Amino acid sequence: MTDDIERANRLVAAARTARRTLWRGAREATVGELLAGLAAPDPDEPADLYGDGVVARLEERVARLLGMEAAAFFPSGTMAQQIALRCWAGRTGSPVVALHPMSHLEVWEGGALSLVSGLRTVHPTREPRQPTADEVAGLAEPFGTLVLELPLRDAGFLLPSWEELEELVDAARERDAVVHFDGARLWESTVRFGRPLPEIAGLADSVYVSFYKSLGGLGGAALAGPAALVEEARVWRHRYGGQVFRQFPQALSALAGLERELPRLPQYVARARTVAQALREGFAAAGTPWFRIHPEEPHTHQFQVWLPYEADLLTDAGIRLAEETGTMLFRRWSPGPVPGLSVTEAEVGAPGLEWSAEDVVRAVAAFAARLEPATTHRIRPK
């Protein structure tokens, strides 16, 4: 445990002082930087109370951006989605939710969907990809709501094609089910879908979006959908403890993200595709015994990198690279499903726009050089 804490502290320190990085991690921001990133407030505007004022303005902005009738601010996406699905269960008469077992609702929320909200889940597929329309149509039991996480983060930030998404929605409708988009990172999906946000969100009955995962806000989320659903969700928000007295810092940071980051996300996606190709070229040139960039062409500005080394070894190599050269290429690595195989999530943000493909190849060479003494940790292909 001590080694893990020391490694985490070194990683944050190295990333904060790095002169070059593809993105800035959430743990690397200082209080001063976060405060400086807030949208400039009108000092004469009354402070918000229980969701009025600037919070209401944010809700109206999100509803317009997504082409929905209404939106409500929530302190967390976990709360927003549990309440949305609870409301839909009451309307459809079914407590059964169809979703991917790798979705955030299943993996990262401690079983809250069933333990807190009394809902039950079924899975169209267990494959590490988006489900297909045939799999949704072929579910053996009825369900009231289909949840699609767009993109599916734990599978590699994967999106279906636009045609596949339309087919998935149609399959749910044919089962008399409603459709909810877990759109924590929906903002950056416009590039792959080739459609504006209102057209994407318009396929669903309700959508959740995050204000910090891609927009760099302090926190918070929004649930958007029909006005009647959103009004009911506000009632449940109070019951779940989400009726917070003042929320203007989160609202101001969300508005700043919508103003500054949202227009730049297509640039980040485009550069992520350049970076992914350069990583492949860099690992091949470095003689790395095996590697995988997943997906080959990133669907968003985030993607996975797989290497045949122990996770701690890879994390330490990235820390040393940053400490010794001022370049932060990768951050924390995690063990994969096979011993000795590890995965990390790569991202391209505003700092990554300054990187050329040649910069990435050089950084990979320097990173790989710091792995050479540990050849015994490799998985050698047969």
Side-chain angles (χ1 to χ4, degrees):
M1 182 64 71
T2 301
D3 289 345
D4 291 340
I5 294 173
E6 180 182 352
R7 181 176 287 109
N9 290 338
R10 281 185 63 203
L11 178 59
V12 171
R16 281 178 176 167
T17 58
R19 296 185 300 277
R20 300 195 55 132
T21 181
L22 289 169
W23 77 98
R24 290 291 177 188
R27 292 186 180 275
E28 296 152 24
T30 64
V31 171
E33 290 169 340
L34 292 174
L35 290 175
L38 298 180
D42 178 355
D44 296 323
E45 180 180 12
D48 66 293
L49 290 177
Y50 296 115
D52 63 3
V54 66
V55 179
R57 286 199 287 112
L58 172 62
E59 292 173 338
E60 293 168 1
R61 176 80 182 278
V62 170
R64 289 196 305 271
L65 280 170
L66 298 178
M68 293 292 195
E69 287 184 357
F73 180 86
F74 281 83
S76 75
T78 298
M79 182 185 293
Q81 297 210 98
Q82 282 190 55
I83 289 174
L85 297 178
R86 184 171 196 143
C87 292
W88 282 126
R91 282 167 161 72
T92 63
S94 172
V96 181
V97 178
L99 78 175
H100 199 288
M102 296 177 73
S103 70
H104 194 283
L105 284 158
E106 288 282 63
V107 177
W108 298 108
E109 299 180 11
L113 198 61
S114 58
L115 295 173
V116 178
S117 300
L119 305 179
R120 183 167 62 85
T121 61
V122 294
H123 304 140
T125 181
R126 292 187 175 275
E127 295 296 318
R129 54 165 172 76
Q130 291 283 353
T132 67
D134 287 343
E135 289 165 341
V136 170
L139 272 169
E141 58 182 307
F143 56 93
T145 306
L146 172 67
V147 176
L148 296 173
E149 183 177 323
L150 303 174
L152 187 58
R153 175 191 176 175
D154 282 359
F157 302 93
L158 299 182
L159 290 165
S161 69
W162 178 252
E163 293 74 19
E164 289 167 341
L165 182 60
E166 289 183 310
E167 291 169 358
L168 279 164
V169 171
D170 289 343
R173 303 272 192 250
E174 291 173 5
R175 298 290 301 264
D176 294 323
V178 297
V179 177
H180 171 78
F181 285 171
D182 176 343
R185 298 172 174 83
L186 189 72
W187 307 112
E188 58 264 38
S189 69
T190 56
V191 176
R192 176 166 169 82
F193 288 144
R195 300 292 193 282
L197 282 169
E199 190 172 351
I200 297 168
L203 290 181
D205 297 283
S206 60
V207 178
Y208 140 69
V209 289
S210 172
F211 295 128
Y212 72 89
K213 288 186 169 66
S214 299
L215 300 181
L218 294 177
L223 172 65
L229 177 81
V230 172
E231 283 306 305
E232 182 185 1
R234 293 180 192 276
V235 175
W236 280 105
R237 181 181 64 187
H238 193 178
R239 291 169 177 160
Y240 272 63
Q243 189 77 347
V244 179
F245 181 56
R246 292 195 199 279
Q247 301 168 99
F248 70 88
Q250 288 86 348
L252 288 173
S253 68
L255 287 167
L258 292 172
E259 185 69 26
R260 300 168 189 166
E261 288 299 299
L262 183 59
R264 304 182 76 180
L265 287 174
Q267 298 177 59
Y268 301 166
V269 177
R271 186 56 55 89
R273 293 173 176 176
T274 299
V275 169
Q277 177 60 29
L279 286 173
R280 277 192 291 273
E281 294 172 3
F283 284 125
T288 306
W290 181 91
F291 60 89
R292 184 177 181 187
I293 311 300
H294 179 65
E296 288 193 7
E297 181 179 83
H299 294 178
T300 72
H301 66 304
Q302 298 170 297
F303 55 94
Q304 293 177 341
V305 180
W306 293 76
L307 288 175
Y309 299 88
E310 300 293 344
D312 289 347
L313 175 72
L314 291 163
T315 301
D316 288 344
I319 293 172
R320 291 198 307 275
L321 177 66
E323 291 174 338
E324 295 165 8
T325 71
T327 295
M328 175 62 76
L329 182 61
F330 303 118
R331 286 169 173 76
R332 184 178 63 86
W333 292 75
S334 300
V338 176
L341 188 65
S342 302
V343 60
T344 191
E345 294 178 346
E347 179 177 341
V348 173
L353 297 179
E354 300 176 3
W355 289 55
S356 66
E358 292 74 18
D359 293 332
V360 176
V361 171
R362 284 193 293 269
V364 170
F367 175 78
R370 285 161 174 80
L371 297 174
E372 284 309 305
T375 55
T376 57
H377 292 264
R378 297 176 181 171
I379 293 178
R380 295 189 179 276
K382 294 182 179 180

